[in-house]
Amino acid sequence: MNGWIGTTLRVDLTRGTIKREPTNMKVAHDYIGARGMGVKIISDEVDPSVDALGPDNKLVFAPGPFTGTFAPSAGRYNVITKSPLNGTIAGSNSGGVFGPELKFAGYDALIIEGQAKKPVYLWIKNDVVEIRDASAIWGMTVADTTEALREQTDPDAKVACIGPAGENLSLIASIMNEMHRAAGRTGVGAVMGSKKLKAIAVIGTGEITVADPDAFKAAVMDARGKIQANPVGGAGLKAYGTDVLVNILNQSGALPVNNWQDAYSPAADKIGGESLAANQLVRPKGCFACIISCGRATKVTNPLYAGVGEGPEYESAWAFGVDSGIDNLDAVIKANYLCNEYGIDTISMGSTIACAMELYELGLLTKKDTDGLDLSFGNAAVMVEMVRKTGVGEGFGKRLQEGSYRLADSVGRPDLSMTVKKQEMPAYDPRGVQGIGLNYATNNRGGCHVRGYTIAVEVLGQGAPTDPHATEGKAALDIVFQDLTSALDSSGSCLFATFGIGGAELAGMLTALTGVEYSLDEFMKIGARIWNLERLWNLKVGYTTADDTLPARLLTEPIKTGPSKGRVNHLDQMLPEYYALRGWDANGVPTPAKLADLAL
Amino acid sequence: MSKMLMIYPNKCTGCRNCELACSFEHGGSFRPGATRVHTFTWEREGFAVPLMCQQCDDAACVNVCPTGAMHHGPAGSNLVELDASLCIGCKLCVIACPFGSARYDSVTKSIAKCDTCAGAPQCVAMCPNAALEFVEDAEQTRSRKQIVADKFKTIFEDVN
Amino acid sequence: MLIKYFATFRDLTKENSLVLTDAPTNIAELLELLSVRYGAAFRAAVFENGELSSVMILLVNGRNVRITGGLATPVSPDDEVSVFPMVAGG
């Protein structure tokens, strides 16, 4: 067994049982690991109709074959479950060191089942696994939880945990590891909270073996060289972080402003990566095995928002920044810190506040709702306070913690929630960039940019020149990105490795590591298999082609100012072609021939 | 010509590629217990630093070794070397090293200590941030001086 | 014409923006003018064997010149030009 460990850990919190079982190697070969393996496990073992926050939902933590090796920037793990936010087979992907540690402890996957009666945490030291009482740490923030568990277990333990938001079953709660790294999206933190599982602490000292060490090293060095030679992977992300995107999206007329009422802000530069590098950056940070170092160790000295921590990423800076009408980067960073402390997804949090601001300005929410606070666009201090209220579940925070869809729906304006399938869309306006709109509309976990990042081609100049305003060719482009990312996520690689390498290099490293032959075609086919399996789940949950859409604002309300003034998204010109190229019928259902081709 | 490993904590991002490279070089696999370099990370403060054998001139590990397995290199070398054939596994070097850089690996039943990969340290080769360098002893402080010199240049260029 | 610089181009030019009073008619003329103004390092960052540098992104009123005609893309005094190195994130 090479690359994979061959063992899966299954913990039933209802019964208090712990089982070590052989990893299904047929599934491992056909789905690689991480996201793919998790999707297969949830599909096989969980009824799509279960209550996502009930005992019958399961929560899978899975590293990939690359995780724990020196495949460049490939130390990631995925959390896969039924989303409480929108019911999709969802999940989220995180870096840091937790994934590699779980692998060194000897596991390809950890499956959490059932529901504990009182708060517990899981302590894993190689093959010694214990369910322990967590009453004393329930209620603690992420950093305090992490440190408390290291005192109770091992000073070097790696800790994935929820904060108060996950305990309160916030539908936008994240799972955090190493304090600052987040499996942020789709409300995975609430599933952990519903199981009364506060944290997982792990120490691993085991071995990951390599099928062909010489070939693996050669393939890794080739991939490293390509990433380091790429201006983005090699130097750009390290110098400015992902927040460097603020200015290029703004100058392209695709930076959503004030809950997507516009797509250009004259003040954007104040929250961009250049400003961050000049003012708050302490040093770049890297996840396990990372050669890119996009992470930002930052410090805010402004007494109103003082603190030390990590972030923000571009999407976080956008959500708490211009989408909320705010150009104060200190406040933005403080909001980001609070999300990391309370365990909340920054994208959904900032977007939900932006939505609430629009509802407030329309008079649909008043100070009676907002605990007496002025929730107008641009009010930075109130924005930060709203994050805190959401984190601890206090006052108006109890409504914000449900996400923007439920909030807007409660006042009769669900159209003002800038979501797809109830999940907030990130920082790229589909009116200015057509292909990303198709990706949002078809994404299996709802509004999501990473699983189909066409921005790399449409805006950032990677690959052949492509017009962001064109709809032609975008269906095919989306599918390539969606399938590549599905397979890449399953390998344990970071998406940013693609700023330098592609499926061929990933498949080559995977072959040398595992000894199982993966061609580029097979790698992409696995991606399509995972995408279609996720789609089948969503259809069983009740999603239809009517849900493969964008908020009406993006289809009918033209951008008001800036370079994309007057534009809307033309989803109707792309969606039928997307279904056809996917091998789906007009109702968005995979055809029997397609399923047979993918061995589903 | 003698070379030495220099550590630049201000450049370290905490990625641990050095540990992976070390483990792979010494065993062809990835195993935390096999690595001779360890990165310590302070997550709250966002700080990290790699630590390994300092190749001491007055080396506690050499002084306590009862068999001569741990010994200084030949004249002209400034390395502390381990002759595994003489090692009896008594672990006195592990106890004596003030840096914790001689470790006993219970899997291979041997002492794991930096051997500079026979003069081509893989931790240095695989560090993506130049936080580790293997430099001639005459050049050991050159890059630090260069940073200071660059600052002087900037300051005085602006003045002129 | 308003020229805006971002990321490493701010280090290269030592400014964030420039109001250009000359009236170049296309991108080639504009980059030549700017190269004279900022010197060899700037020239090396924007040209690659006489063509547009492959590691730069140049927007004229938000449109990437790579899809509007490259160096021949026309410019006029009312235009806003944004100069980026290759950047990314996600």
Side-chain angles (χ1 to χ4, degrees):
Chain A
M1 187 86 58
N2 300 294
W4 296 286
I5 303 296
T7 305
T8 293
L9 180 62
R10 189 182 291 273
V11 175
D12 185 328
L13 295 175
T14 303
R15 294 186 182 83
T17 57
I18 293 159
K19 277 197 298 192
R20 299 168 78 247
E21 50 192 55
T23 298
N24 181 331
M25 292 316 296
K26 171 86 167 76
V27 169
H29 293 177
D30 292 351
Y31 292 83
I32 305 178
R35 175 174 160 194
M37 192 182 285
V39 166
K40 178 65 174 158
I41 290 169
I42 294 290
S43 277
D44 285 352
E45 300 188 9
V46 177
D47 184 325
S49 68
V50 301
D51 174 5
L53 297 179
D56 294 331
N57 196 6
K58 299 186 184 185
L59 186 63
V60 177
F61 293 78
F66 288 151
T67 312
T69 75
F70 58 25
S73 302
R76 302 187 74 87
Y77 74 101
N78 277 239
V79 182
I80 305 94
T81 189
K82 177 178 177 177
S83 166
L85 181 69
N86 61 14
T88 61
I89 188 161
S92 204
N93 176 321
S94 181
V97 190
F98 180 80
E101 202 75 28
L102 188 60
K103 189 99 171 274
F104 289 131
Y107 305 105
D108 297 310
L110 161 62
I111 305 171
I112 306 285
E113 307 176 343
Q115 208 159 41
K117 286 193 182 63
K118 59 182 178 57
V120 296
Y121 76 89
L122 198 60
W123 165 231
I124 302 170
K125 186 171 184 180
N126 298 321
D127 52 0
V128 177
V129 182
E130 297 171 17
I131 301 169
R132 289 184 171 183
D133 178 35
S135 307
I137 54 169
W138 196 256
M140 280 189 187
T141 61
V142 166
D144 289 350
T145 299
T146 304
E147 287 184 343
L149 280 190
R150 285 179 180 156
E151 277 175 27
Q152 291 183 25
T153 60
D154 185 302
D156 290 328
K158 303 301 175 283
V159 177
C161 67
I162 53 171
E167 298 173 12
N168 295 336
L169 308 183
S170 164
L171 301 180
I172 56 172
S174 60
I175 295 172
M176 304 295 300
N177 58 280
E178 286 77 71
M179 297 188 189
H180 312 291
R181 308 309 310 180
R185 305 231 67 195
T186 66
V188 291
V191 177
M192 198 157 158
S194 75
K195 298 194 176 306
K196 295 265 193 305
L197 179 62
K198 176 66 174 172
I200 301 161
V202 56
I203 278 281
T205 57
E207 183 175 32
I208 301 166
T209 58
V210 182
D212 185 339
D214 290 340
F216 184 60
K217 174 128 194 234
V220 165
M221 296 313 285
D222 173 62
R224 276 175 68 108
K226 287 173 178 166
I227 294 169
Q228 288 174 328
N230 183 289
V232 169
L237 278 168
K238 185 175 177 182
Y240 297 105
T242 59
D243 196 25
V244 75
L245 291 184
V246 166
N247 279 315
I248 194 160
L249 267 298
N250 193 47
Q251 295 303 118
S252 300
L255 184 71
V257 171
N258 290 6
N259 199 37
W260 305 64
Q261 295 183 66
D262 207 347
Y264 177 80
S265 166
D269 193 22
K270 293 184 188 171
I271 61 159
E274 293 93 336
S275 176
L276 181 67
N279 298 305
Q280 295 93 353
L281 178 66
V282 177
R283 62 173 61 80
K285 292 281 294 170
C287 294
F288 190 89
C290 185
I291 64 167
I292 295 171
S293 312
C294 72
R296 308 284 87 181
T298 52
K299 182 176 183 179
V300 176
T301 52
N302 175 347
L304 287 175
Y305 305 114
V308 178
E310 282 191 27
E313 302 294 338
Y314 162 60
E315 290 75 10
S316 315
W318 157 79
F320 295 121
V322 291
D323 196 41
S324 302
I326 288 164
D327 61 11
N328 182 327
L329 187 52
D330 288 336
V332 165
I333 296 173
K334 185 67 178 182
N336 192 89
Y337 290 167
L338 289 177
C339 283
N340 289 352
E341 283 290 295
Y342 295 121
I344 313 173
D345 174 34
T346 55
I347 296 173
S348 286
M349 181 78 262
S351 301
T352 301
I353 292 171
C355 174
M357 285 173 162
E358 185 168 1
L359 298 173
Y360 179 85
E361 293 201 342
L362 289 170
L364 296 169
L365 293 171
T366 68
K367 283 190 179 173
K368 274 190 223 161
D369 301 296
T370 63
D371 309 329
L373 296 173
D374 176 6
L375 199 51
S376 303
F377 281 110
N379 197 336
V382 172
M383 180 275 289
V384 172
E385 173 63 3
M386 287 299 166
V387 177
R388 189 196 64 79
K389 281 176 175 289
T390 305
V392 299
E394 167 193 306
F396 188 56
K398 286 189 186 138
R399 292 175 74 184
L400 294 172
Q401 72 174 21
E402 307 277 292
S404 68
Y405 182 82
R406 288 164 176 83
L407 177 70
D409 192 43
S410 73
V411 298
R413 290 300 300 275
D415 58 304
L416 293 181
S417 162
M418 300 309 289
T419 51
V420 173
K421 298 180 178 75
K422 300 190 179 75
Q423 174 161 262
E424 288 72 17
M425 296 176 297
Y428 309 86
D429 198 314
R431 291 170 294 189
V433 191
Q434 295 292 324
I436 199 71
L438 177 63
N439 175 55
Y440 288 163
T442 58
N443 209 285
N444 285 326
R445 61 175 188 171
C448 160
H449 63 300
V450 285
R451 298 177 169 186
Y453 194 66
T454 62
I455 297 296
V457 170
E458 293 187 280
V459 179
L460 304 179
Q462 303 271 340
T466 302
D467 187 346
H469 294 166
T471 54
E472 297 78 26
K474 297 300 170 68
L477 184 69
D478 264 306
I479 290 168
V480 167
F481 270 86
Q482 290 175 345
D483 289 352
L484 173 63
T485 307
S486 300
L488 174 146
D489 282 347
S490 304
S491 73
S493 177
C494 173
L495 179 59
F496 291 174
T498 58
F499 295 118
I501 62 171
E505 288 84 356
L506 291 165
M509 287 193 290
L510 201 54
T511 300
L513 173 63
T514 64
V516 177
E517 191 68 29
Y518 288 97
S519 64
L520 172 60
D521 285 351
E522 176 63 15
F523 192 73
M524 294 301 288
K525 192 168 188 172
I526 289 172
R529 180 179 297 136
I530 294 164
W531 193 267
N532 277 270
L533 189 57
E534 291 172 342
R535 177 76 178 182
L536 291 174
W537 169 284
N538 288 353
L539 292 170
K540 285 181 203 152
V541 167
Y543 281 107
T544 69
T545 184
D547 301 298
D548 294 341
T549 189
L550 296 169
R553 170 167 281 169
L554 304 183
L555 301 173
T556 60
E557 198 178 300
I559 291 173
K560 296 186 181 78
T561 67
S564 299
K565 183 178 173 180
R567 295 189 173 277
V568 295
N569 185 269
H570 301 290
L571 182 64
D572 57 338
Q573 295 174 15
M574 300 180 282
L575 192 61
E577 184 189 3
Y578 175 90
Y579 283 177
L581 290 174
R582 272 274 174 224
W584 298 353
D585 66 21
N587 291 319
V589 179
T591 60
K594 188 69 194 176
L595 294 180
D597 176 49
L598 296 172
L600 281 171
Chain B
M1 188 74 74
S2 272
K3 283 187 153 188
M4 53 192 291
L5 266 162
M6 294 292 291
I7 300 168
Y8 300 89
N10 57 322
K11 293 183 182 174
C12 180
T13 65
C15 71
R16 298 169 63 185
N17 272 298
C18 51
E19 297 181 23
L20 293 164
C22 184
S23 171
F24 188 81
E25 175 69 16
H26 291 95
S29 69
F30 302 97
R31 185 168 63 81
T35 180
R36 281 88 166 136
V37 51
H38 287 89
T39 309
F40 281 78
T41 299
W42 288 259
E43 285 157 7
R44 273 194 199 267
E45 296 85 355
F47 187 81
V49 60
L51 298 173
M52 77 278 288
C53 173
Q54 297 300 111
Q55 315 288 353
C56 307
D57 288 340
D58 185 6
C61 58
V62 173
N63 297 341
V64 298
C65 182
T67 67
M70 198 72 85
H71 61 279
H72 289 288
S77 156
N78 62 355
L79 300 181
V80 172
E81 296 174 355
L82 175 68
D83 183 344
S85 69
L86 297 177
C87 179
I88 57 171
C90 69
K91 309 172 194 69
L92 284 178
C93 55
V94 178
I95 296 165
C97 176
F99 299 97
S101 289
R103 294 175 62 251
Y104 181 70
D105 180 359
S106 57
V107 172
T108 56
K109 293 195 185 307
S110 62
I111 298 297
K113 186 200 87 73
C114 173
D115 56 7
T116 71
C117 301
Q122 290 303 297
C123 54
V124 173
M126 295 293 271
C127 176
N129 304 299
L132 291 167
E133 284 184 3
F134 195 52
V135 295
E136 302 288 348
D137 55 4
E139 296 169 358
Q140 61 191 266
T141 59
R142 192 185 183 288
S143 59
R144 284 196 167 96
K145 282 177 181 151
Q146 181 79 52
I147 293 167
V148 177
D150 285 345
K151 283 184 181 154
F152 272 111
K153 177 169 176 281
T154 308
I155 291 165
F156 285 98
E157 268 182 348
D158 286 351
V159 168
N160 298 334
Chain C
M1 190 178 303
L2 176 62
I3 320 285
K4 289 183 172 175
Y5 300 112
F6 297 96
T8 46
F9 277 96
R10 291 186 178 173
D11 303 325
L12 270 176
T13 62
K14 302 220 176 343
E15 49 195 359
N16 290 359
S17 64
L18 167 72
V19 177
L20 195 69
T21 49
D22 308 85
T25 63
N26 62 32
I27 288 294
E29 289 176 27
L30 170 66
L31 292 180
E32 181 57 35
L33 269 170
L34 296 178
S35 294
V36 170
R37 180 186 181 95
Y38 296 115
F42 183 91
R43 182 181 293 278
V46 298
F47 288 115
E48 196 174 292
N49 304 321
E51 297 295 319
L52 271 179
S53 164
S54 61
V55 295
M56 169 186 64
I57 296 177
L58 206 57
L59 307 178
V60 177
N61 302 326
R63 303 287 285 155
N64 191 330
V65 300
R66 226 171 283 284
I67 50 175
T68 56
L71 286 173
T73 302
V75 290
S76 65
D78 295 336
D79 286 342
E80 179 175 304
V81 178
S82 307
V83 190
F84 293 89
M86 287 283 270
V87 293

